[in-house]
Amino acid sequence: MKWTYNNRANAIYFIIAAFLLLLPFVHDSRSLFILLTQVFIFSIFAMSYDLLLGFTGIVSFGHAMYFGIGAYAIGVFMKRYEPTNLNFVLAILTTILLTAIISFFVGLLTLRLKSHFYAMLTLSLSGLFLVLAEKWRTLTYGNDGFTFRVPEILKDRTDFYFICLICMIAVFLILSRFTNSPVGRVLQAIRENEQRTESLGYQVLHYKIIASIISGIFAGIAGILYAVSLRFVNTSVFALDITLDALLMTIIGGVGTLVGAIIGAGLIEFAHHWLTALAKEHWIFERWIIFFGIIYILAVMFFPLGIVGTLKSINWKRRKKPDVKKEEKLAG
Amino acid sequence: MDVLLNLSLNGLATGMLIFLLAAGLTLILGLMDVLNFAHGGLFAWGAYSGIWIYSKTGSFFIGILGAILVGFLLGILTERWIIKPVYGNHVQQILITLGLMLVLSEMLKVVWGPNQISANPPDYLVGSWEIGGVIIIKYRLFIIFVGLLVFAAVQFLLSKTKIGLVVRAGVMNKEMVQALGINIQKVFMFVFMIGAGMAALGGVLLGPYSGVIHAEMGLEFAILAFIVVVIGGMGNFKGSLLAAALVGLSGSFMAYYVPDLALAANMLLMAVVLVFRPQGLFGMKG
C-alpha cells in the first residue's frame, strides 16, 4: 500500500516536472519565467532549510548567512576575474568550501547545547556577516552592492530557467535520497527523541553537524543561483528577511517533507508578486509580509505539519480506517 | 583621560539599555525555559509608543510611563495567546516567537509608517555638565541612573518579596514549586509582564539617546541582548547586568578605536564563552 502511495506521488511529481520543463516551448511570458526561476531558487533554499528544521529538528535563524556567502562568492569571482566557465566552477567550489567550513564550526560550537543556543548564535552570526559585507568595502562595495557579468551559457533567460529547474529537481532527488539513507534516518530519530538516539549509541553531535554542513552547502548553491539570476549582489542577501522567507516557506508548506518546501516557496513568491502589485490599490498590501506572519503563527500553533503534512495525515487516516475494521473483525 | 571617561559613560549607557532588554529575556528564559525572540519587538513597540505619547503630551515622564504600560499589556497578551499554547515544545516556541517578532515590527510600520521617527530628550535633560574639564552629557547619566534604579527595584523584588522568592524557586525547580501548591502560570505571566515592561522602558529611553527610532532597531538590540544572556548566564539576573555593562563598554571602546570590529568583538566574546563556559561567565553551576 505504501508502494502504491509512493508511486502515485512520484507520478504527480513527474507530471509537474514535465509540465514545467515543457512550459517554455508552449508559453512565452518573460515575467512568468523570471518569477518561476525565483521559485526554483528559493525552493532549493527552503529544502536546505527543511533538512535542518524538518528532518533534524534544529532551528537556525542564520540561514541567510550561507545564502549570502554563495551570492557574494559568485559576485566577487565574476567581478574580479573574467566571467569564464572556469571561474564560475571555481566560485562554486569556493562556496561549497566556505559554507562547509562555517557550518561545521557553527555546528561544533552550539549543537551540543540546547536548541536556544543554535538559533541565537546563528542569528547573531548572520548579523555579523551583514555588518562584514557592509564594512569590507574593497571586496563588497558596501551597502550599494555591485553588478557583474555572467558566463555566456547563463546569459539566456530560458536556458537559466532550465538550469534552475534541473538544479531544483536534482537537489530534491539528492535530499530525498539522503533523508531516506541510514544517516537521514538517524537524523529523524534525533528529531523525534534526542536522548533515546544517544542512548542507542549514536554520536548525536556528529550527525547534527553533518546535517548542518549539507544544509549549508545547498543554501550556498541557492545563493549562487540567486545572484546569477539578478546579476547583482548587495548586502540584502545577508538580511534576516531571507531566513524568514525560508522559515515561512518551510512552515507553511510543511516541515519534514521536501515537497512542502517547494510548495511553500511557490506560494510565498507568487503571493509576494501579486500582493506587491496590489499595493497600488491599498497601502496595506505593501506590508504583505504581515499576513504571512499571522498565517505563520497560526500554522505553528494549529497546523504544525503545514499544507503537505496536513494533506498527508488526512490521506493516511482515510487509508488506515478499513485496516482497523478488518482487524476488529478478525479479533471478533 | 576625558575620552576614556566619555567612552566609559557612553558604553555604560548603552549597556544599561541592553541590560533592560536582556534582564527580561534572561528571567523569562531561566524561569519558563522560553527564549523570547519577540523581545526586540516589544523593545521597539515601547520606543514607538513612548515617543508618540511624549510628542502628544509633551511630557517625557508620561511617555515613559505609557511605554511601560504598553510593554506590560503586550507582555500579558503575548504570554496568554502566543507562548502559553506551546509551552514545553522548544522548537515551536522559538519559531512562534520569531513569527511574533515579524508581526510586531510590521505592525509598527502599519501604525506609524515605515520611515524613522526622530526623538529629542526633554529640555531638562538636554546639554551637559562640565566637571573638571570633562564634559558629561546629562542624558547618558540619566539612562545609567534609570538602569541602576530598575536593577535595584527588580533585585529588591526578587530577593525580599514573596513573589520574588517564588520566581527564584521557579528558576531552580519549577515542578517543585508547583507541587507546593503555587500557581506557576500566574508567576509566569507576572515575570513575562515585568520583562516586557523593562524592554519597553529600554526602547523609550533609547529614542532620545540615538535621536531616531526605526522598526529594525528591535532586532539590532535583541542580538546584543542575546550575547548578554549567553555571557551573563541563562536566568542569571545579576550576571546580565555585569554582562550588559561589559558588552556596552566593549562596544563603545571598539567603536572608537576599531570601528569595523565593534560587533565582531562581542560575537567573539560570546563564541569563547559558549566554548569554555556555556553556563555563562557569571553562572554558578557547572
Side-chain angles (χ1 to χ4, degrees), chain A residues 161-194:
Chain A
Y161 170 89
F162 284 123
I163 291 171
C164 287
L165 179 58
I166 290 165
C167 280
M168 180 185 85
I169 295 171
V171 171
F172 175 71
L173 291 177
I174 293 170
L175 283 182
S176 42
R177 181 72 194 81
F178 175 72
T179 47
N180 282 314
S181 71
V183 179
R185 292 288 177 198
V186 176
L187 292 181
Q188 292 177 44
I190 292 173
R191 175 191 65 193
E192 294 303 330
N193 192 335
E194 197 173 327

Side-chain angles (χ1 to χ4, degrees), chain A residues 116-264:
Chain A
H116 300 146
F117 283 101
Y118 192 76
M120 218 153 63
L121 188 85
T122 48
L123 180 67
S124 343
L125 205 60
S126 70
L128 185 67
F129 269 94
L130 182 62
V131 174
L132 190 73
E134 269 169 19
K135 301 278 159 127
W136 197 354
R137 292 191 154 271
T138 50
L139 194 69
T140 63
Y141 299 88
N143 212 355
D144 307 327
F146 56 91
T147 55
F148 55 88
R149 288 180 298 148
V150 294
E152 284 298 325
I153 48 161
L154 299 171
K155 280 223 167 109
D156 188 66
R157 284 285 171 193
T158 322
D159 287 351
F160 189 62
Y161 170 89
F162 284 123
I163 291 171
C164 287
L165 179 58
I166 290 165
C167 280
M168 180 185 85
I169 295 171
V171 171
F172 175 71
L173 291 177
I174 293 170
L175 283 182
S176 42
R177 181 72 194 81
F178 175 72
T179 47
N180 282 314
S181 71
V183 179
R185 292 288 177 198
V186 176
L187 292 181
Q188 292 177 44
I190 292 173
R191 175 191 65 193
E192 294 303 330
N193 192 335
E194 197 173 327
Q195 280 82 25
R196 182 138 188 216
T197 316
E198 194 156 19
S199 61
L200 283 173
Y202 290 102
Q203 276 283 354
V204 169
L205 180 65
H206 294 183
Y207 284 95
K208 279 176 157 182
I209 291 177
I210 291 173
S212 168
I213 292 174
I214 292 176
S215 165
I217 290 173
F218 282 119
I221 288 171
I224 293 179
L225 292 172
Y226 180 74
V228 171
S229 79
L230 295 180
R231 284 153 209 201
F232 168 74
V233 56
N234 73 349
T235 49
S236 70
V237 290
F238 280 120
L240 184 68
D241 300 6
I242 301 276
T243 309
L244 281 174
D245 276 346
L247 248 177
L248 293 178
M249 288 164 187
T250 326
I251 296 277
I252 291 175
V255 285
T257 60
L258 295 167
V259 194
I262 298 177
I263 292 174

